[in-house]
Amino acid sequence: ECCSARLVVVVAFALALPRRRGMADVAASGGPCAPSASVVVGDSEETGARASGPPPRLWNIAATEVFLEHLLVRGGERPFVFKTSGLAWWAVALLDDALDVVLAELAIHGVSLRSIGGGANAVDSAYCLQWSRGEDAADEFTEAKEVRELLAKICAPLETMELDWIPSLTRTVADIGEVLIDLLKPSLDLTPLRSVQVQHAVMFGEDWSTPYEVCWQADGAGMTITMPDLPNFADRHFKYFGERLRHLGRGHTLLYQYLGTFVIPCHEVLHIVQHLHGNLQDSDPRSYAMEHDASRLNYVLMWQVLQREHGHPQWCKWVLMLEGLNRCLVAQAMFESKYAGKYEAYRRWADSFGLDSPEVAFREGSDDVDALALEGLVKWLVAGHALGVCLDADIADVGEDSVPKDGPLPPPSVDHLLVLLLVAFGCERDGDVYSPENRAFVEGALPKSLRLDDCAAAVQRLVAPPKDTDLRLRSLLCRLSATA
């Protein structure tokens, strides 16, 4: 639930920490949660040694949970049955690298995968989740709620795990900073990112403050990133996620939040880069242009950050990218149901590289809670949609025959990221981002192949399965046939 730092909660929040609303300081400081003790990224011992980390089993749990969540967010009445031809490419990549881990974690809870046929071709073969009832007996899942109940059991060990919240965030922020410093050093000095502090928020402890206590914040002027104080979450915080994301246990919420220490920080660091640019002014009441840029680049940047040495299993990159995709698909489903009337405003915002603000449309007929929810949802949505477009040169590099029309695209390249960075943070972009001159700069600098002119096509490519000839798919099919 990565939401804006520019939230205004009258009186009570005003007493906490002053908000600084300079135009360039698009990620305002302070807000509902005053900061607690912090860790400086550049001085962190964990960042250098990278020796500390979560218990090894956490990533096994994460791989299994993220895959099962993908089955759920795909939709359908029987999420416990799937075909490889119905999985997004990112899910296929995860299973290809971590199938043994997923099967082993399922087995701990008495669950296995069984092939139930259903297709002339291997890619059309169906697999189902089943409860093992002894050596020769098994019961297939029959209801979607069984998948959710299984998720609660799989995630339950997190309730007693010692999780390295601040060290994990510290390492992630440091890696993000190094990627950005390296890519933009010819045009923008981002070495101050090495002094960014990360910290937990101090919570107010009231029911009314719960939605704001689960927010992340970036303070460009203070060079800090604040995350929710997970070690001190109360029943009301877990209830909040249970009601909104249908988490059935505390462990489910804790895993969602821990994965957030990888999936969210790119967005927050990009807000600090907006401040370091020094000449970006967003006059929108909720700074939707700046929110767009930090969100549109989020997953594209995260993919490059995940290529760095991080001390986790090499397949964790698929876990985190699929987690990001799942969050996008949840947001997409919300816009297709509860917020269907707001989707057109999102489309205009995304299609204009954030320069057609949805703020008025989102506020119309919405209370503060819905407006806040919409702001969070569009960030996940545009971050995911950004993976549904690709540089023409990247397609040429892998061969056009391997990238069919409406099929999945290759992961975003460094060049893809660099192009977006130079559009968002180009030196020519100066002053009011909505000015005719700045609009013209964005129009001229953004390649046609990276425009989200058709979000529906981006979504289709995002969830499209691999071609029958895809090497990862063929590898996964062989492994499934040997184990399921």
Side-chain angles (χ1 to χ4, degrees):
E1 303 282 326
C2 174
C3 60
S4 173
R6 286 166 303 286
L7 301 170
V8 180
V9 182
V10 181
V11 183
F13 286 168
L15 298 176
L17 189 68
R19 280 190 320 137
R20 280 163 275 183
R21 286 293 304 272
M23 287 297 187
D25 189 11
V26 293
S29 64
C33 307
S36 62
S38 59
V39 176
V40 180
V41 168
D43 295 339
S44 170
E45 293 181 3
E46 291 91 338
T47 303
R50 309 187 87 75
S52 63
R57 191 183 169 197
L58 181 139
W59 285 111
N60 300 354
I61 292 172
T64 310
E65 186 272 343
V66 169
F67 170 65
L68 293 177
E69 281 284 3
H70 187 63
L71 297 184
L72 287 169
V73 299
R74 291 178 318 153
E77 296 180 357
R78 304 178 75 222
F80 41 84
V81 175
F82 70 94
K83 297 180 180 181
T84 53
S85 59
L87 300 177
W89 181 85
W90 298 98
V92 169
L94 168 61
L95 285 186
D96 184 36
D97 275 2
L99 180 62
D100 292 344
V101 166
V102 171
L103 292 178
E105 191 61 38
L106 289 174
I108 291 173
H109 302 279
V111 177
S112 59
L113 283 182
R114 183 169 73 87
S115 173
I116 55 175
N121 299 320
V123 291
D124 292 323
S125 296
Y127 300 86
C128 71
L129 295 169
Q130 63 179 15
W131 298 104
S132 300
R133 307 297 187 194
E135 290 187 6
D136 301 316
D139 295 332
E140 294 181 7
F141 281 37
T142 58
E143 297 180 88
K145 72 176 184 179
E146 291 180 86
V147 182
R148 294 205 170 274
E149 291 169 354
L150 175 60
L151 281 173
K153 294 178 180 178
I154 288 171
C155 296
L158 273 80
E159 296 185 35
T160 56
M161 283 185 184
E162 291 291 330
L163 298 177
D164 58 335
W165 297 104
I166 291 299
S168 175
L169 179 58
T170 299
R171 292 189 295 268
T172 303
V173 170
D175 283 344
I176 296 167
E178 293 305 318
V179 170
L180 291 171
I181 289 168
D182 183 60
L183 286 176
L184 287 177
K185 61 186 175 186
S187 57
L188 190 60
D189 177 17
L190 296 182
T191 54
L193 290 177
R194 291 175 177 146
S195 65
V196 170
Q197 296 182 332
V198 298
Q199 59 198 12
H200 283 311
V202 173
M203 298 185 288
F204 283 83
E206 301 288 344
D207 288 343
W208 59 265
S209 62
T210 302
Y212 306 101
E213 291 170 352
V214 300
C215 294
W216 286 62
Q217 299 182 32
D219 174 5
M223 299 295 285
T224 58
I225 292 174
T226 302
M227 69 170 291
D229 188 3
L230 271 299
N232 290 306
F233 260 27
D235 289 344
R236 57 193 172 86
H237 298 102
F238 293 108
K239 180 181 177 183
Y240 177 89
F241 284 99
E243 292 173 347
R244 284 154 183 79
L245 295 179
R246 301 179 68 183
H247 293 174
L248 292 183
R250 292 186 173 213
H252 200 177
T253 296
L254 290 170
L255 180 61
Y256 179 85
Q257 291 290 337
Y258 190 80
L259 295 179
T261 65
F262 298 87
V263 177
I264 292 173
C266 286
H267 178 103
E268 305 301 341
V269 173
L270 287 166
H271 275 320
I272 294 178
V273 174
Q274 289 166 348
H275 172 77
L276 293 175
H277 181 285
N279 296 316
L280 298 174
Q281 299 178 5
D282 189 342
S283 56
D284 184 77
R286 301 190 85 87
S287 299
Y288 263 112
M290 298 296 97
E291 291 297 348
H292 167 274
D293 295 359
S295 303
R296 171 72 190 273
L297 275 70
N298 191 1
Y299 294 170
V300 178
L301 172 56
M302 181 171 73
W303 175 249
Q304 296 305 325
V305 172
L306 292 174
Q307 308 313 303
R308 293 172 60 86
E309 175 58 41
H310 44 62
H312 304 306
Q314 60 87 19
W315 43 260
C316 81
K317 62 180 180 286
W318 306 120
V319 174
L320 294 167
M321 294 303 292
L322 186 57
E323 171 69 9
L325 171 58
N326 287 346
R327 295 187 186 204
C328 171
L329 295 179
V330 168
Q332 183 76 36
M334 291 292 287
F335 271 102
E336 291 173 355
S337 54
K338 182 176 181 179
Y339 299 118
K342 307 293 186 180
Y343 189 66
E344 189 57 38
Y346 163 76
R347 281 288 312 275
R348 291 194 299 269
W349 178 67
D351 294 351
S352 66
F353 204 76
L355 297 179
D356 191 341
S357 172
E359 194 269 336
V360 173
F362 284 179
R363 186 162 32 87
E364 184 177 356
S366 302
D367 58 20
D368 289 343
V369 173
D370 277 335
L372 177 62
L374 284 164
E375 185 177 344
L377 289 171
V378 296
K379 295 173 188 178
W380 292 127
L381 199 56
V382 77
H385 287 175
L387 296 177
V389 295
C390 181
L391 281 176
D392 289 336
D394 292 342
I395 293 179
D397 286 344
V398 299
E400 293 189 12
D401 291 342
S402 64
V403 186
K405 186 178 185 212
D406 299 330
L409 294 170
S413 66
V414 173
D415 287 341
H416 180 159
L417 171 60
L418 183 58
V419 168
L420 292 179
L421 287 171
L422 293 177
V423 174
F425 304 112
C427 296
E428 301 89 342
R429 205 178 187 197
D430 184 67
D432 181 6
V433 294
Y434 303 104
S435 70
E437 295 80 9
N438 281 321
R439 287 178 180 272
F441 167 73
V442 170
E443 178 68 22
L446 187 65
K448 188 175 188 308
S449 60
L450 293 187
R451 297 171 189 264
L452 292 181
D453 294 333
D454 186 352
C455 290
V459 173
Q460 186 172 357
R461 279 190 174 274
L462 190 61
V463 300
K467 282 182 64 177
D468 293 0
T469 56
D470 184 272
L471 294 179
R472 279 199 173 276
L473 179 59
R474 304 311 300 183
S475 172
L476 175 59
L477 288 171
C478 290
R479 301 183 68 195
L480 281 170
S481 65
T483 58

